[in-house]
Amino acid sequence: MATSVNLDIAQRLDITCRKGDTFTLTLNITDSAGTAIALTPYSFQMEVRDSATDAIIIPTADFTFTKDADSTTGKLNITSAAANIDTAGSYIYDLETTLNTDVQTWLYGVFTINDDVTA
């Protein structure tokens, strides 16, 4: 008989981007068998913070989540304007999904913003 169960499906994905650059991340979301997940019914949230309990550096409202027109491809584009990527440093983030009332964290990790010379 099993003595424990792990319900945490989140995968670690560290992200590095450049201060003052437009943020664009394209993900191909699949299930454990490698089959693309139809993203149409899902909504997404992503926050970047100093730590889990600290102030938000980049709020969900500063990200745009675009699902591929063909909902069977599992393609998700996450973008944010260059003006939102404005504080160099090393932070943490997570990407949460909501389907009906079910909430799951799909991705988490370190979110690094490298400093830039050109303003």
Side-chain angles (χ1 to χ4, degrees), residues 45-63 65 80 83-88 90-94 96 111 113:
Q45 293 187 97
M46 182 169 151
E47 290 181 347
V48 177
R49 295 176 175 249
D50 270 329
S51 74
T53 58
D54 281 343
I56 298 170
I57 302 299
I58 307 172
T60 292
D62 286 353
F63 290 101
F65 304 94
S80 188
N84 299 327
I85 312 298
D86 63 350
T87 307
S90 184
Y91 308 104
I92 61 170
Y93 83 97
D94 66 7
E96 285 186 348
F111 193 99
I113 302 174

Side-chain angles (χ1 to χ4, degrees), residues 30-35 37:
T30 60
D31 63 18
S32 59
T35 304
I37 295 175

